[in-house]
Amino acid sequence: MTSGSLKDYRERRDFGTTPEPEGRESGVSPEPIFVVQKHAARQLHYDFRLEVDGVLKSWAIPKGPSTDPKDKRLAVPTEDHPLAYAGFEGVIPEGEYGGGAVLVWDTGVYRNLTEKKGEAIPMGQAVAHGHVKVWLEGNKLKGGYALTRFKTGKDESWLLVKAADEAADPRRNPVADEPQSVLTGRTIEEVSS
Ligand code: MN
């Protein structure tokens, strides 16, 4: 399934209750975006989303992204989200799917660097094949990142790893030291209250 579908996204949510956008599939952008949302659900995690074929392909990263190429961060795939979700910051009510506060921890545009034997691979195919390489132009995250799928029994998981390039920095710890929203400057506690 290369093109996105928002069926799962819509089925899991009651748009009369949650402030999340209902959204829709969009056209292809000249400059695709990425977003990382900090989400204080039952388990705090970071949702990493890449615009692919009009939707946001999404992975939940329990520890959040790293700027150290030695770190391999588990990334569990979740349902496609609408593009409008990239601007969502607020509180999903308790009892709703993913109940808890959400803030936009980082966002920007990205470039697809995925290739195989020197041939560029379109993002939809890259995701379907389980090998994605992107160059991020965010506020906090910059440079190359690789997302690679692996199987653990029946479950599918991915790893997010920083490429060893000029934007790598093992001394930084942005998850701990740069917790605020890049849209509003708020912390997750400030969004919650
Ligand atoms: Mn989430």
Side-chain angles (χ1 to χ4, degrees), residues 6-27:
L6 298 176
K7 187 166 170 282
D8 287 353
Y9 176 84
R10 295 202 183 97
E11 282 176 359
R12 291 175 185 182
R13 288 168 176 82
D14 174 359
F15 294 102
T17 310
T18 181
E20 295 164 291
E22 191 161 355
R24 53 189 300 170
E25 288 87 352
S26 305

Side-chain angles (χ1 to χ4, degrees), residues 65-147:
S66 174
T67 52
D68 184 346
K70 289 200 295 295
D71 287 337
K72 295 179 170 64
R73 293 289 161 90
L74 180 69
V76 180
T78 61
E79 78 275 19
D80 296 346
H81 280 51
L83 277 193
Y85 208 91
F88 174 69
E89 192 163 290
V91 180
I92 303 168
E94 282 307 311
E96 294 301 308
Y97 180 69
V102 175
L103 65 71
V104 177
W105 184 80
D106 198 17
T107 191
V109 297
Y110 79 88
R111 278 186 291 126
N112 176 19
L113 301 181
T114 315
E115 52 174 52
K116 191 173 183 182
K117 295 174 184 153
E119 295 251 340
I121 306 290
M123 279 298 285
Q125 274 183 41
V127 172
H129 293 167
H131 285 288
V132 176
K133 192 167 180 203
V134 288
W135 183 275
L136 304 182
E137 295 283 355
N139 288 275
K140 296 171 184 171
L141 302 181
K142 295 181 193 297
Y145 277 84
L147 268 165

Side-chain angles (χ1 to χ4, degrees), residues 39 45 47 49 60:
H39 185 185
H45 61 272
D47 289 298
R49 311 189 197 279

